[in-house]
Amino acid sequence: MTRREFLEASLASSLLVERAGASSSPVMDPSRLPKFVDPLIVPPVAHSSGLKPSPFHTEIMAPLYRISLREVMQRIHRDLPATRMWGFGSTSPGPTIEARRGQPLFVEWTNELPDRHFLPIDYSILGTESRKTDVRAVIHLHGGRVRPESDGYPENWYGPGKSAVSFYPNQQDAAMLWYHDHAMSITRLNMFAGLFGVYLLRDKWEDELNLPKGKYEIPLILYDRSFRENGQLYYPVSGDPAKPWVPEFFGDAILVNGTLFPFIEIEARKYRFRLLNASNSRFLYLKLSNNRALWQIGSDQGLLTAPVELRTLTLAPGERADVIVDFAQQGGQSLLLTSDNYTICQFRVSDNSSADDSALPAKLRTVQRIPEKEAARTRLLTLEGGGDPDDPTTMNQPMLLNGAHWHDPVTENPTLDTVEIWSLINVTDDAHPIHLHLVRFQIIDRRSFDLFSYLNDRQLRYTAAAAPPEANEAGWKDTVRADPGMVTRIVIRFEGFVGRYVWHCHVLEHEDYEMMRPYDVIA
Ligand code: C2O
Ligand code: CU
């Protein structure tokens, strides 16, 4: 049995248990709903509510945003009742924070969530032992170069009625960052509930490229979910009441900014889409109908060197893509965005096109490669565990980073301003999107190796030539797909701050169950 078959079988059996019970309803098949009856919603832009002196330069005042984590009732589709979600302010995804390089800001994140969680917490996983505070949250700015105390360390969670202030210096290149919950061992549930939003950092360099902007620049936050017939979120359980954790989540309904099958009314001209895969586990393979081109201009940490023409865009959980699509020849037509067999949304292109003076520049910026020889150290880090895919009884085992558990002593301790190469040796049968806090990095290559000999004597024997990263992953990254049976090498300069951060798999079910480790940047 493959992992996927096991997951499907366990989902089917937990549904059977549910159907036998009188009160609960089974998972809805979203394909029975009419498509494209709801317009796309663009999350509101956040507004600051005052000024506050900067922590390290008290003469500088920085805007303070007050953003509350709240339960919200939100309609995902015209024909369904409102769905209970957790969001920020009055929406999920939360409001978009618009930031500019060199202009720091504060966010006070206030936990105004109810006292009880509505999703199945696994109390057997570390960090969840205390039943006193089921509802715990802490917000991390994914891709942000921030001090440890503002980074949303998983153990720094707080309960309802409490808040934390984070300082975001915005001293880094323009990029689509995103904020989301990071509470120890329940991140998968808090994010499944809806605790995430977009943070667009801009700079002068980007301004000068004359990319489509204003209403022609649209964030598209994509994530899969399952719903009950009554429109409420359904998160599966393992069937073992003492250990409800499931190793991955895949739902049949892919939402865009909180709506199922939205349509997007657009003009016959160029658009800039800021794409984020906010799914728990699902990788997206995005395509436009008629095989229309997507021009990717940026990845996780900002602009590429030049646009990359794509027919399929792969996005792992946590990854972002900055994409230009030219609809100039599509007036009066409609196009679909799909992933595998899933329909995501419809673009309705109007007949009349207003003048389009925006550009798709041939050159975007230079990205200096970090020379491998600058590396002060290479770390071999194994992605392992997760049980034996041929033995379903082992499938509730955690996956681990280099054999270590969360509470083991810190082993990764790079020195500030030095370069390291991390070789991610994936011996599991899953692809894992690996994310490091604080830093940006470059992918060197991926290379297949002899798994058997590595497992036997920890000798790395390569079985093919090294493959360089795809053109659309050759810029600055903060999340990298480590494919199964491959060694994925990344080169990282540890810039910014000293202190404790984390690195982890961005499949949230893995992250929550030991596939996350603290790391220290030391002076
Ligand atoms: Cu997007 Cu540590 O997370
Ligand atoms: Cu993983």
Side-chain angles (χ1 to χ4, degrees):
M1 193 191 260
T2 66
R3 173 175 299 275
R4 188 64 190 263
E5 285 162 354
F6 168 79
L7 291 168
E8 277 161 8
S10 56
L11 177 61
S13 65
S14 65
L15 286 179
L16 281 179
V17 173
E18 292 239 334
R19 285 200 186 96
S23 60
S24 46
S25 49
V27 164
M28 171 196 69
D29 173 8
S31 68
R32 74 168 174 77
L33 293 167
K35 296 189 175 71
F36 321 130
V37 295
D38 296 279
L40 179 84
I41 295 167
V42 175
V45 172
H47 293 288
S48 62
S49 55
L51 294 168
K52 191 176 148 66
S54 293
F56 305 100
H57 304 277
T58 46
E59 72 286 3
I60 300 174
M61 301 293 279
L64 169 67
Y65 291 72
R66 297 179 194 277
I67 301 182
S68 297
L69 290 65
R70 289 199 190 123
E71 186 161 285
V72 298
M73 294 300 289
Q74 202 166 283
R75 232 174 234 275
I76 61 152
H77 188 279
R78 183 194 70 187
D79 297 346
L80 290 174
T83 303
R84 167 165 55 173
M85 295 180 198
W86 287 0
F88 296 87
S90 53
T91 62
S92 169
T96 298
I97 300 176
E98 284 274 357
R100 283 200 67 87
R101 181 175 185 145
Q103 298 179 6
L105 61 86
F106 292 94
V107 181
E108 179 172 22
W109 303 103
T110 304
N111 184 340
E112 294 179 11
L113 295 168
D115 290 322
R116 304 239 344 237
H117 215 297
F118 69 102
L119 294 170
I121 295 177
D122 186 328
Y123 294 102
S124 74
I125 299 181
L126 82 158
T128 49
E129 303 87 351
S130 149
R131 287 170 181 255
K132 278 186 268 162
T133 316
D134 273 1
V135 176
R136 36 183 94 183
V138 59
I139 305 304
H140 166 62
L141 178 62
H142 180 131
R145 189 190 292 169
V146 311
R147 285 182 190 268
E149 60 272 23
S150 287
D151 194 50
Y153 193 70
E155 291 177 342
N156 291 346
W157 55 263
Y158 44 94
K162 304 243 163 45
S163 72
V165 177
S166 284
F167 179 66
Y168 302 122
N170 297 325
Q171 291 289 355
Q172 60 187 98
D173 292 349
M176 181 197 206
L177 312 181
W178 62 302
Y179 60 88
H180 62 73
D181 174 70
H182 219 299
M184 193 71 205
S185 299
I186 61 164
T187 295
R188 71 190 183 293
L189 304 175
N190 286 350
M191 282 181 57
F192 189 82
L195 290 176
F196 48 84
V198 164
Y199 186 109
L200 290 175
L201 178 59
R202 306 188 183 278
D203 64 14
K204 252 181 80 226
W205 185 263
E206 181 194 302
D207 292 347
E208 280 164 13
L209 291 175
N210 188 28
L211 301 167
K213 52 177 165 294
K215 63 175 175 171
Y216 306 116
E217 182 193 17
I218 304 177
L220 298 176
I221 310 164
L222 310 175
Y223 46 105
D224 62 332
R225 294 290 183 267
S226 294
F227 296 92
R228 299 171 189 271
E229 288 292 342
N230 63 8
Q232 299 310 303
L233 284 166
Y234 174 79
Y235 188 89
V237 289
S238 66
D240 173 359
K243 185 161 215 28
W245 174 85
V246 291
E248 264 139 36
F249 167 81
F250 298 103
D252 281 341
I254 300 184
L255 304 189
V256 190
N257 301 352
T259 303
L260 181 58
F261 306 131
F263 65 86
I264 310 172
E265 304 243 31
I266 58 173
E267 297 168 25
R269 52 159 289 149
K270 286 191 284 302
Y271 276 79
R272 181 182 185 192
F273 297 111
R274 313 298 298 266
L275 298 163
L276 158 65
N277 184 352
S279 302
N280 280 36
S281 301
R282 181 182 292 283
F283 285 60
L284 296 169
Y285 305 96
L286 301 170
K287 277 189 200 320
L288 283 173
S289 47
N290 306 331
N291 217 21
R292 294 287 309 161
L294 298 150
W295 288 91
Q296 188 171 347
I297 59 166
S299 60
D300 305 336
Q301 286 285 320
L303 294 165
L304 300 168
T305 56
V308 177
E309 183 178 3
L310 297 172
R311 305 291 150 172
T312 304
L313 166 60
T314 301
L315 268 192
E319 285 187 312
R320 288 88 72 207
D322 194 349
V323 162
I324 304 268
V325 180
D326 192 350
F327 297 98
Q329 308 305 315
Q330 258 62 50
Q333 300 175 28
S334 55
L335 279 82
L336 301 181
L337 181 69
T338 58
S339 176
D340 292 322
N341 297 322
Y342 296 99
T343 302
I344 299 177
C345 59
Q346 181 195 49
F347 298 101
R348 285 185 195 161
V349 191
S350 68
D351 263 328
N352 38 355
S353 59
S354 56
D356 180 4
D357 55 8
S358 69
L360 173 57
K363 275 201 155 16
L364 298 162
R365 67 159 162 177
T366 42
V367 172
Q368 288 282 355
R369 297 296 303 175
I370 308 174
E372 273 181 58
K373 61 174 190 322
E374 273 189 37
R377 145 154 220 186
T378 293
R379 297 180 194 269
L380 303 182
L381 301 160
T382 309
L383 316 181
E384 59 193 308
D388 176 356
D390 295 322
D391 178 1
T393 63
T394 67
M395 295 299 278
N396 63 354
Q397 298 302 306
M399 287 189 222
L400 301 174
L401 297 171
N402 223 27
H405 292 260
W406 171 257
H407 282 311
D408 289 331
V410 168
T411 38
E412 288 71 60
N413 54 355
T415 304
L416 184 68
D417 292 324
T418 65
V419 171
E420 295 196 354
I421 293 171
W422 286 20
S423 290
L424 306 167
I425 306 164
N426 187 351
V427 305
T428 75
D429 60 346
D430 286 338
H432 302 277
I434 299 297
H435 170 49
L436 279 75
H437 287 205
L438 176 68
V439 291
R440 60 179 186 174
F441 54 75
Q442 293 168 354
I443 303 172
I444 303 174
D445 53 23
R446 295 189 179 89
R447 195 168 187 186
S448 62
F449 64 102
D450 184 335
L451 189 63
F452 189 74
S453 103
Y454 183 73
L455 293 176
N456 264 328
D457 58 11
R458 296 268 142 172
Q459 288 305 303
L460 265 183
R461 289 187 190 84
Y462 292 106
T463 52
E470 303 289 331
N472 65 331
E473 5 168 62
W476 290 106
K477 297 278 293 166
D478 58 43
T479 306
V480 60
R481 209 181 66 240
D483 289 329
M486 296 280 206
V487 176
T488 301
R489 294 196 306 151
I490 57 175
V491 60
I492 317 145
R493 183 173 280 120
F494 288 87
E495 291 171 302
F497 308 105
V498 296
R500 179 152 298 179
Y501 294 92
V502 298
W503 68 289
H504 60 88
C505 176
H506 222 287
V507 169
L508 305 179
E509 284 68 24
H510 299 177
E511 169 183 346
D512 271 353
Y513 194 24
E514 301 279 6
M515 207 171 197
M516 175 167 73
R517 287 280 291 155
Y519 84 87
D520 285 340
V521 180
I522 59 177

PDB file of all heavy atoms in Angstrom, residues 59-81:
ATOM      1  N   GLU A  59      14.102  57.420  18.253  1.00  0.00           N
ATOM      2  CA  GLU A  59      13.694  58.670  17.622  1.00  0.00           C
ATOM      3  C   GLU A  59      12.870  58.397  16.360  1.00  0.00           C
ATOM      4  O   GLU A  59      12.221  59.303  15.840  1.00  0.00           O
ATOM      5  CB  GLU A  59      14.920  59.544  17.323  1.00  0.00           C
ATOM      6  CG  GLU A  59      15.838  59.099  16.181  1.00  0.00           C
ATOM      7  CD  GLU A  59      16.731  57.885  16.497  1.00  0.00           C
ATOM      8  OE1 GLU A  59      16.617  57.316  17.598  1.00  0.00           O
ATOM      9  OE2 GLU A  59      17.520  57.485  15.614  1.00  0.00           O
ATOM     10  N   ILE A  60      12.915  57.167  15.867  1.00  0.00           N
ATOM     11  CA  ILE A  60      12.137  56.838  14.663  1.00  0.00           C
ATOM     12  C   ILE A  60      10.797  56.229  15.083  1.00  0.00           C
ATOM     13  O   ILE A  60      10.757  55.288  15.879  1.00  0.00           O
ATOM     14  CB  ILE A  60      12.910  55.845  13.764  1.00  0.00           C
ATOM     15  CG1 ILE A  60      14.247  56.466  13.343  1.00  0.00           C
ATOM     16  CG2 ILE A  60      12.075  55.473  12.535  1.00  0.00           C
ATOM     17  CD1 ILE A  60      15.144  55.514  12.579  1.00  0.00           C
ATOM     18  N   MET A  61       9.733  56.822  14.547  1.00  0.00           N
ATOM     19  CA  MET A  61       8.409  56.292  14.853  1.00  0.00           C
ATOM     20  C   MET A  61       7.993  55.353  13.707  1.00  0.00           C
ATOM     21  O   MET A  61       8.160  55.674  12.539  1.00  0.00           O
ATOM     22  CB  MET A  61       7.381  57.422  14.959  1.00  0.00           C
ATOM     23  CG  MET A  61       7.719  58.448  16.030  1.00  0.00           C
ATOM     24  SD  MET A  61       7.618  57.744  17.688  1.00  0.00           S
ATOM     25  CE  MET A  61       5.835  57.836  17.951  1.00  0.00           C
ATOM     26  N   ALA A  62       7.455  54.219  14.055  1.00  0.00           N
ATOM     27  CA  ALA A  62       7.015  53.261  13.036  1.00  0.00           C
ATOM     28  C   ALA A  62       5.525  52.992  13.220  1.00  0.00           C
ATOM     29  O   ALA A  62       5.032  52.994  14.349  1.00  0.00           O
ATOM     30  CB  ALA A  62       7.805  51.960  13.157  1.00  0.00           C
ATOM     31  N   PRO A  63       4.806  52.773  12.116  1.00  0.00           N
ATOM     32  CA  PRO A  63       3.377  52.503  12.242  1.00  0.00           C
ATOM     33  C   PRO A  63       3.098  51.220  13.026  1.00  0.00           C
ATOM     34  O   PRO A  63       3.853  50.246  12.934  1.00  0.00           O
ATOM     35  CB  PRO A  63       2.893  52.354  10.792  1.00  0.00           C
ATOM     36  CG  PRO A  63       4.075  52.460   9.918  1.00  0.00           C
ATOM     37  CD  PRO A  63       5.266  52.821  10.722  1.00  0.00           C
ATOM     38  N   LEU A  64       2.034  51.264  13.777  1.00  0.00           N
ATOM     39  CA  LEU A  64       1.596  50.101  14.557  1.00  0.00           C
ATOM     40  C   LEU A  64       0.271  49.605  13.989  1.00  0.00           C
ATOM     41  O   LEU A  64      -0.688  50.376  13.885  1.00  0.00           O
ATOM     42  CB  LEU A  64       1.418  50.497  16.028  1.00  0.00           C
ATOM     43  CG  LEU A  64       0.725  49.467  16.928  1.00  0.00           C
ATOM     44  CD1 LEU A  64       1.588  48.220  17.096  1.00  0.00           C
ATOM     45  CD2 LEU A  64       0.419  50.075  18.308  1.00  0.00           C
ATOM     46  N   TYR A  65       0.262  48.345  13.620  1.00  0.00           N
ATOM     47  CA  TYR A  65      -0.973  47.705  13.160  1.00  0.00           C
ATOM     48  C   TYR A  65      -1.496  46.856  14.309  1.00  0.00           C
ATOM     49  O   TYR A  65      -0.712  46.170  14.975  1.00  0.00           O
ATOM     50  CB  TYR A  65      -0.690  46.799  11.951  1.00  0.00           C
ATOM     51  CG  TYR A  65      -0.308  47.546  10.689  1.00  0.00           C
ATOM     52  CD1 TYR A  65       0.940  48.156  10.571  1.00  0.00           C
ATOM     53  CD2 TYR A  65      -1.187  47.641   9.620  1.00  0.00           C
ATOM     54  CE1 TYR A  65       1.285  48.855   9.417  1.00  0.00           C
ATOM     55  CE2 TYR A  65      -0.842  48.326   8.464  1.00  0.00           C
ATOM     56  CZ  TYR A  65       0.397  48.937   8.373  1.00  0.00           C
ATOM     57  OH  TYR A  65       0.732  49.616   7.238  1.00  0.00           O
ATOM     58  N   ARG A  66      -2.781  46.922  14.547  1.00  0.00           N
ATOM     59  CA  ARG A  66      -3.385  46.037  15.554  1.00  0.00           C
ATOM     60  C   ARG A  66      -4.269  45.051  14.815  1.00  0.00           C
ATOM     61  O   ARG A  66      -5.253  45.432  14.193  1.00  0.00           O
ATOM     62  CB  ARG A  66      -4.244  46.821  16.534  1.00  0.00           C
ATOM     63  CG  ARG A  66      -3.470  47.827  17.345  1.00  0.00           C
ATOM     64  CD  ARG A  66      -4.426  48.573  18.268  1.00  0.00           C
ATOM     65  NE  ARG A  66      -3.796  49.757  18.818  1.00  0.00           N
ATOM     66  CZ  ARG A  66      -3.005  49.758  19.879  1.00  0.00           C
ATOM     67  NH1 ARG A  66      -2.778  48.626  20.528  1.00  0.00           N
ATOM     68  NH2 ARG A  66      -2.456  50.870  20.298  1.00  0.00           N
ATOM     69  N   ILE A  67      -3.881  43.785  14.867  1.00  0.00           N
ATOM     70  CA  ILE A  67      -4.621  42.775  14.104  1.00  0.00           C
ATOM     71  C   ILE A  67      -5.046  41.660  15.065  1.00  0.00           C
ATOM     72  O   ILE A  67      -4.226  41.109  15.794  1.00  0.00           O
ATOM     73  CB  ILE A  67      -3.763  42.223  12.942  1.00  0.00           C
ATOM     74  CG1 ILE A  67      -3.356  43.393  12.009  1.00  0.00           C
ATOM     75  CG2 ILE A  67      -4.516  41.161  12.167  1.00  0.00           C
ATOM     76  CD1 ILE A  67      -2.544  42.987  10.791  1.00  0.00           C
ATOM     77  N   SER A  68      -6.346  41.392  15.071  1.00  0.00           N
ATOM     78  CA  SER A  68      -6.877  40.406  16.013  1.00  0.00           C
ATOM     79  C   SER A  68      -7.184  39.090  15.336  1.00  0.00           C
ATOM     80  O   SER A  68      -7.735  39.058  14.237  1.00  0.00           O
ATOM     81  CB  SER A  68      -8.167  40.931  16.648  1.00  0.00           C
ATOM     82  OG  SER A  68      -7.877  42.088  17.389  1.00  0.00           O
ATOM     83  N   LEU A  69      -6.821  38.013  16.023  1.00  0.00           N
ATOM     84  CA  LEU A  69      -7.195  36.673  15.579  1.00  0.00           C
ATOM     85  C   LEU A  69      -8.602  36.422  16.099  1.00  0.00           C
ATOM     86  O   LEU A  69      -8.832  36.510  17.315  1.00  0.00           O
ATOM     87  CB  LEU A  69      -6.239  35.628  16.160  1.00  0.00           C
ATOM     88  CG  LEU A  69      -4.799  35.588  15.657  1.00  0.00           C
ATOM     89  CD1 LEU A  69      -4.010  36.834  15.995  1.00  0.00           C
ATOM     90  CD2 LEU A  69      -4.094  34.346  16.193  1.00  0.00           C
ATOM     91  N   ARG A  70      -9.520  36.114  15.188  1.00  0.00           N
ATOM     92  CA  ARG A  70     -10.920  35.987  15.580  1.00  0.00           C
ATOM     93  C   ARG A  70     -11.588  34.849  14.837  1.00  0.00           C
ATOM     94  O   ARG A  70     -11.200  34.510  13.732  1.00  0.00           O
ATOM     95  CB  ARG A  70     -11.696  37.253  15.218  1.00  0.00           C
ATOM     96  CG  ARG A  70     -11.368  38.428  16.055  1.00  0.00           C
ATOM     97  CD  ARG A  70     -12.476  39.468  15.965  1.00  0.00           C
ATOM     98  NE  ARG A  70     -12.000  40.684  16.600  1.00  0.00           N
ATOM     99  CZ  ARG A  70     -11.945  41.871  16.001  1.00  0.00           C
ATOM    100  NH1 ARG A  70     -12.394  42.008  14.771  1.00  0.00           N
ATOM    101  NH2 ARG A  70     -11.476  42.905  16.647  1.00  0.00           N
ATOM    102  N   GLU A  71     -12.661  34.352  15.456  1.00  0.00           N
ATOM    103  CA  GLU A  71     -13.518  33.416  14.730  1.00  0.00           C
ATOM    104  C   GLU A  71     -14.390  34.217  13.770  1.00  0.00           C
ATOM    105  O   GLU A  71     -14.931  35.252  14.154  1.00  0.00           O
ATOM    106  CB  GLU A  71     -14.389  32.641  15.719  1.00  0.00           C
ATOM    107  CG  GLU A  71     -15.186  31.557  15.054  1.00  0.00           C
ATOM    108  CD  GLU A  71     -15.678  30.524  16.056  1.00  0.00           C
ATOM    109  OE1 GLU A  71     -14.853  29.701  16.514  1.00  0.00           O
ATOM    110  OE2 GLU A  71     -16.867  30.541  16.384  1.00  0.00           O
ATOM    111  N   VAL A  72     -14.494  33.744  12.526  1.00  0.00           N
ATOM    112  CA  VAL A  72     -15.318  34.448  11.550  1.00  0.00           C
ATOM    113  C   VAL A  72     -16.259  33.434  10.888  1.00  0.00           C
ATOM    114  O   VAL A  72     -15.964  32.246  10.828  1.00  0.00           O
ATOM    115  CB  VAL A  72     -14.460  35.154  10.463  1.00  0.00           C
ATOM    116  CG1 VAL A  72     -13.577  36.208  11.078  1.00  0.00           C
ATOM    117  CG2 VAL A  72     -13.612  34.160   9.670  1.00  0.00           C
ATOM    118  N   MET A  73     -17.390  33.912  10.426  1.00  0.00           N
ATOM    119  CA  MET A  73     -18.307  33.085   9.648  1.00  0.00           C
ATOM    120  C   MET A  73     -18.257  33.625   8.233  1.00  0.00           C
ATOM    121  O   MET A  73     -18.500  34.800   8.001  1.00  0.00           O
ATOM    122  CB  MET A  73     -19.733  33.178  10.198  1.00  0.00           C
ATOM    123  CG  MET A  73     -19.909  32.591  11.591  1.00  0.00           C
ATOM    124  SD  MET A  73     -19.486  30.828  11.717  1.00  0.00           S
ATOM    125  CE  MET A  73     -20.853  30.082  10.826  1.00  0.00           C
ATOM    126  N   GLN A  74     -17.903  32.764   7.299  1.00  0.00           N
ATOM    127  CA  GLN A  74     -17.634  33.243   5.958  1.00  0.00           C
ATOM    128  C   GLN A  74     -18.180  32.243   4.942  1.00  0.00           C
ATOM    129  O   GLN A  74     -18.017  31.052   5.104  1.00  0.00           O
ATOM    130  CB  GLN A  74     -16.114  33.367   5.826  1.00  0.00           C
ATOM    131  CG  GLN A  74     -15.629  34.281   4.762  1.00  0.00           C
ATOM    132  CD  GLN A  74     -14.140  34.574   4.953  1.00  0.00           C
ATOM    133  OE1 GLN A  74     -13.746  35.366   5.806  1.00  0.00           O
ATOM    134  NE2 GLN A  74     -13.319  33.903   4.182  1.00  0.00           N
ATOM    135  N   ARG A  75     -18.788  32.776   3.896  1.00  0.00           N
ATOM    136  CA  ARG A  75     -19.358  31.924   2.862  1.00  0.00           C
ATOM    137  C   ARG A  75     -18.285  31.565   1.842  1.00  0.00           C
ATOM    138  O   ARG A  75     -17.661  32.458   1.275  1.00  0.00           O
ATOM    139  CB  ARG A  75     -20.439  32.709   2.147  1.00  0.00           C
ATOM    140  CG  ARG A  75     -21.744  32.051   2.046  1.00  0.00           C
ATOM    141  CD  ARG A  75     -22.718  33.049   1.432  1.00  0.00           C
ATOM    142  NE  ARG A  75     -23.866  33.188   2.299  1.00  0.00           N
ATOM    143  CZ  ARG A  75     -24.906  32.362   2.253  1.00  0.00           C
ATOM    144  NH1 ARG A  75     -24.955  31.385   1.392  1.00  0.00           N
ATOM    145  NH2 ARG A  75     -25.912  32.529   3.077  1.00  0.00           N
ATOM    146  N   ILE A  76     -18.103  30.271   1.585  1.00  0.00           N
ATOM    147  CA  ILE A  76     -17.133  29.878   0.560  1.00  0.00           C
ATOM    148  C   ILE A  76     -17.804  29.700  -0.797  1.00  0.00           C
ATOM    149  O   ILE A  76     -17.140  29.660  -1.825  1.00  0.00           O
ATOM    150  CB  ILE A  76     -16.387  28.576   0.924  1.00  0.00           C
ATOM    151  CG1 ILE A  76     -17.358  27.403   1.055  1.00  0.00           C
ATOM    152  CG2 ILE A  76     -15.581  28.752   2.202  1.00  0.00           C
ATOM    153  CD1 ILE A  76     -16.715  26.091   0.730  1.00  0.00           C
ATOM    154  N   HIS A  77     -19.152  29.579  -0.782  1.00  0.00           N
ATOM    155  CA  HIS A  77     -19.886  29.339  -2.034  1.00  0.00           C
ATOM    156  C   HIS A  77     -21.326  29.797  -1.853  1.00  0.00           C
ATOM    157  O   HIS A  77     -21.898  29.633  -0.783  1.00  0.00           O
ATOM    158  CB  HIS A  77     -19.831  27.838  -2.369  1.00  0.00           C
ATOM    159  CG  HIS A  77     -20.379  27.508  -3.719  1.00  0.00           C
ATOM    160  ND1 HIS A  77     -21.726  27.370  -3.977  1.00  0.00           N
ATOM    161  CD2 HIS A  77     -19.745  27.300  -4.902  1.00  0.00           C
ATOM    162  CE1 HIS A  77     -21.904  27.088  -5.259  1.00  0.00           C
ATOM    163  NE2 HIS A  77     -20.723  27.036  -5.847  1.00  0.00           N
ATOM    164  N   ARG A  78     -21.907  30.317  -2.922  1.00  0.00           N
ATOM    165  CA  ARG A  78     -23.280  30.827  -2.898  1.00  0.00           C
ATOM    166  C   ARG A  78     -24.261  29.823  -2.316  1.00  0.00           C
ATOM    167  O   ARG A  78     -25.192  30.187  -1.583  1.00  0.00           O
ATOM    168  CB  ARG A  78     -23.691  31.158  -4.352  1.00  0.00           C
ATOM    169  CG  ARG A  78     -25.058  31.767  -4.509  1.00  0.00           C
ATOM    170  CD  ARG A  78     -25.488  31.719  -5.970  1.00  0.00           C
ATOM    171  NE  ARG A  78     -25.779  30.338  -6.395  1.00  0.00           N
ATOM    172  CZ  ARG A  78     -26.047  29.978  -7.643  1.00  0.00           C
ATOM    173  NH1 ARG A  78     -26.038  30.890  -8.604  1.00  0.00           N
ATOM    174  NH2 ARG A  78     -26.298  28.716  -7.954  1.00  0.00           N
ATOM    175  N   ASP A  79     -24.095  28.533  -2.635  1.00  0.00           N
ATOM    176  CA  ASP A  79     -25.091  27.536  -2.261  1.00  0.00           C
ATOM    177  C   ASP A  79     -24.794  26.832  -0.946  1.00  0.00           C
ATOM    178  O   ASP A  79     -25.396  25.803  -0.643  1.00  0.00           O
ATOM    179  CB  ASP A  79     -25.229  26.493  -3.378  1.00  0.00           C
ATOM    180  CG  ASP A  79     -25.740  27.111  -4.660  1.00  0.00           C
ATOM    181  OD1 ASP A  79     -26.226  28.273  -4.600  1.00  0.00           O
ATOM    182  OD2 ASP A  79     -25.646  26.475  -5.725  1.00  0.00           O
ATOM    183  N   LEU A  80     -23.861  27.355  -0.172  1.00  0.00           N
ATOM    184  CA  LEU A  80     -23.552  26.740   1.123  1.00  0.00           C
ATOM    185  C   LEU A  80     -23.784  27.759   2.228  1.00  0.00           C
ATOM    186  O   LEU A  80     -23.593  28.959   2.015  1.00  0.00           O
ATOM    187  CB  LEU A  80     -22.087  26.287   1.177  1.00  0.00           C
ATOM    188  CG  LEU A  80     -21.693  25.103   0.301  1.00  0.00           C
ATOM    189  CD1 LEU A  80     -20.185  24.886   0.371  1.00  0.00           C
ATOM    190  CD2 LEU A  80     -22.431  23.838   0.736  1.00  0.00           C
ATOM    191  N   PRO A  81     -24.185  27.272   3.415  1.00  0.00           N
ATOM    192  CA  PRO A  81     -24.260  28.207   4.546  1.00  0.00           C
ATOM    193  C   PRO A  81     -22.855  28.676   4.923  1.00  0.00           C
ATOM    194  O   PRO A  81     -21.858  28.090   4.493  1.00  0.00           O
ATOM    195  CB  PRO A  81     -24.881  27.372   5.664  1.00  0.00           C
ATOM    196  CG  PRO A  81     -24.757  25.950   5.247  1.00  0.00           C
ATOM    197  CD  PRO A  81     -24.555  25.903   3.762  1.00  0.00           C
TER     198      PRO A  81
END
